[in-house]
């Protein structure tokens, strides 16, 4: 087709219907849902791009709130600090940049982790669901449980580095200050090895990830409510975001007490523990928290965590599900 064909087609109204209707679709897709007709997107590329969008949204939107959550959980000097007071404290002493300290490990891991989460969910649903494109709430719950089992161990080193870098400024007198994740990782490995260093708290991390069962179950439930009787209807970005927010609220409501235990273990100085122990287990750590603070100790920092969970997962599912719908064949 010559470059002058569009102009001549506009000027002439006598062309056949097939000639006129074929021209606009060759120039520009007529709707968002027709992106896949304009270019081919392989299944691998769909997961890579979708996971990348979700991962970047997760960290850029959620890291400041995650920092507030971790600081409230483990900083003994911040007991009684509200989330807003902790926010003012960090900004006053470190500026806005302080809200993004320790961001490198989660940013580097967020993209592959989200790819693993969503790809694993699809894989397990293909194994257990009668119809993987329309999973029931129970099937989504079981698939999420399996995803948590896969994700817990590789996530542990990332959580160790993130938590220690996030709180080190609050422990300047008792904790060595590190310039970045690589320096910290090398020191932990050299001093304590893999199990008691980089993988400190892996059991608690894995236990927390099992709560992904409620994450995917809540997401599926809200999507079913939004679709109503029209089970094949494509959801709008707003509806995908609403389902994502419900998933974030569910997973953190379920997993937050375990997350408190995990953060405490992973930020504990390894030297000087009783009876020559190299690390504290989940039960001993939970007992210590309860002895010091009671039940309230397991909810310290919950408010910014729930806000972050709803906000971040709204953005994650809005980006991921909308991208998946746009590239459907």
């Amino acid at each position: 087709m010559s470059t002058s064909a569009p102009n001549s087609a506009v000027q002439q109204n006598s062309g056949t219907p097939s000639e006129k209707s074929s021209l606009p679709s060759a120039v520009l897709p007529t709707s968002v849902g027709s992106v896949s007709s304009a270019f081919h997107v392989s299944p691998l590329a769909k997961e890579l791009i979708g996971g990348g969008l979700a991962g970047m949204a997760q960290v850029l939107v959620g890291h400041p709130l995650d920092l507030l959550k971790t600081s409230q959980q483990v900083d003994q000097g911040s007991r009684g600090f509200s989330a807003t007071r902790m926010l003012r404290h960090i900004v006053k002493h470190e500026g806005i940049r302080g809200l993004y300290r320790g961001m490198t490990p989660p940013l580097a891991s967020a993209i592959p982790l989200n790819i693993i989460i969503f790809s694993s969910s699809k894989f397990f649903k293909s194994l257990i669901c009668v119809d993987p494109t329309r999973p029931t709430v129970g099937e989504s719950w079981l698939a999420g449980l399996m995803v948590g089992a896969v994700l817990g161990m590789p996530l542990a080193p990332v959580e160790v580095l993130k938590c220690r870098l996030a709180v080190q400024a609050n422990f300047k007198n008792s904790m060595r200050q590190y310039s970045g994740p690589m320096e910290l990782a090398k020191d932990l490995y050299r001093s304590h090895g893999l199990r008691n260093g980089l993988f400190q708290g892996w059991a608690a991390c894995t236990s927390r990830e099992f709560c992904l069962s409620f994450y995917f179950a809540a997401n599926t439930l809200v999507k079913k409510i939004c679709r109503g009787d029209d089970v094949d209807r494509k959801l709008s970005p707003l509806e995908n975001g609403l389902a994502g927010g419900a998933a974030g609220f569910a997973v953190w409501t379920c997993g937050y007490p375990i997350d408190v235990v995990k953060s405490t273990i992973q930020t504990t100085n390894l030297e000087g523990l009783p009876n020559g122990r190299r690390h504290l287990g989940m039960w001993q750590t939970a007992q210590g928290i309860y002895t010091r603070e009671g039940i309230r100790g397991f909810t310290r920092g919950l408010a910014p965590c729930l806000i972050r969970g709803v906000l971040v997962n709204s953005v994650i599912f809005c980006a991921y599900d909308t991208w998946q719908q746009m590239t459907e064949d």
Side-chain angles (χ1 to χ4, degrees):
M1 182 182 292
S2 66
T3 55
S4 61
N7 291 330
S8 62
V10 172
Q11 294 169 357
Q12 298 176 6
N13 296 325
S14 60
T16 64
S18 62
E19 289 174 339
K20 291 190 290 183
S21 62
S22 63
L23 190 59
S25 63
V27 177
L28 187 66
T30 57
S31 68
V32 173
S34 63
V35 169
S36 60
S37 65
F39 57 90
H40 174 70
V41 182
S42 68
L44 178 60
K46 285 178 65 174
E47 292 304 318
L48 290 174
I49 296 174
L53 293 171
M56 287 186 289
Q58 172 186 338
V59 177
L60 294 178
V61 175
H63 188 77
L65 288 169
D66 193 47
L67 177 72
L68 293 178
K69 180 261 295 182
T70 305
S71 297
Q72 284 188 293
Q73 285 178 346
V74 303
D75 188 352
Q76 303 299 318
S78 70
R79 289 182 185 176
F81 274 33
S82 65
T84 54
R85 185 178 177 187
M86 177 63 74
L87 174 64
R88 290 196 300 268
H89 176 80
I90 293 174
V91 172
K92 178 180 178 180
H93 291 87
E94 303 175 61
I96 297 297
R97 186 176 180 181
L99 295 174
Y100 287 92
R101 74 172 124 91
M103 187 180 74
T104 303
L107 185 60
S109 65
I111 293 176
L113 283 175
N114 275 278
I115 292 173
I116 292 172
I117 288 173
F118 287 108
S119 298
S120 298
S121 175
K122 279 189 174 181
F123 173 72
F124 289 126
K125 285 176 182 176
S126 71
L127 295 180
I128 64 177
C129 295
V130 177
D131 182 357
T133 62
R134 299 171 184 168
T136 66
V137 175
E139 289 169 340
S140 294
W141 184 91
L142 184 57
L145 195 69
M146 295 177 177
V147 173
V150 171
L151 196 61
M153 182 65 78
L155 187 60
V158 176
E159 289 289 307
V160 169
L161 298 178
K162 181 197 73 173
C163 289
R164 283 183 166 261
L165 289 174
V167 304
Q168 66 175 3
N170 302 331
F171 295 93
K172 291 182 178 179
N173 296 327
S174 59
M175 181 181 290
R176 175 181 168 182
Q177 303 295 294
Y178 296 93
S179 59
M182 291 304 297
E183 182 186 1
L184 173 57
K186 290 178 181 178
D187 184 63
L188 285 175
Y189 177 74
R190 183 172 56 250
S191 303
H192 306 288
L194 287 175
R195 183 174 183 270
N196 294 323
L198 289 171
F199 283 87
Q200 184 183 11
W202 69 267
C205 188
T206 302
S207 299
R208 185 194 66 176
E209 295 309 305
F210 282 141
C211 294
L212 284 172
S213 54
F214 296 96
Y215 182 74
F216 286 105
N219 183 260
T220 298
L221 176 61
V222 173
K223 286 179 176 177
K224 285 183 176 295
I225 293 173
C226 290
R227 287 193 174 99
D229 295 330
D230 189 358
V231 296
D232 293 321
R233 182 174 70 86
K234 290 184 178 181
L235 299 180
S236 68
L238 179 61
E239 290 171 321
N240 285 326
L242 179 64
F249 184 86
V251 73
W252 281 111
T253 301
C254 166
Y256 193 80
I258 305 174
D259 189 66
V260 173
V261 174
K262 177 202 71 71
S263 296
T264 303
I265 293 173
Q266 292 180 330
T267 55
T268 297
N269 288 323
L270 299 176
E271 297 81 6
L273 293 179
N275 302 322
R277 294 177 63 98
R278 299 294 291 169
H279 67 283
L280 290 176
M282 291 179 60
W283 181 246
Q284 292 89 344
T285 302
Q287 283 182 316
I289 295 172
Y290 182 77
T291 299
R292 292 191 304 270
E293 304 174 67
I295 294 297
R296 187 176 181 180
F298 295 98
T299 61
R300 186 154 38 93
L302 178 60
C305 182
L306 288 179
I307 294 172
R308 173 189 177 275
V310 171
L311 177 62
V312 169
N313 286 284
S314 294
V315 176
I316 285 176
F317 275 95
C318 181
Y320 181 84
D321 285 335
T322 302
W323 167 253
Q324 294 293 315
Q325 292 176 182
M326 288 172 60
T327 53
E328 283 182 355
D329 295 327

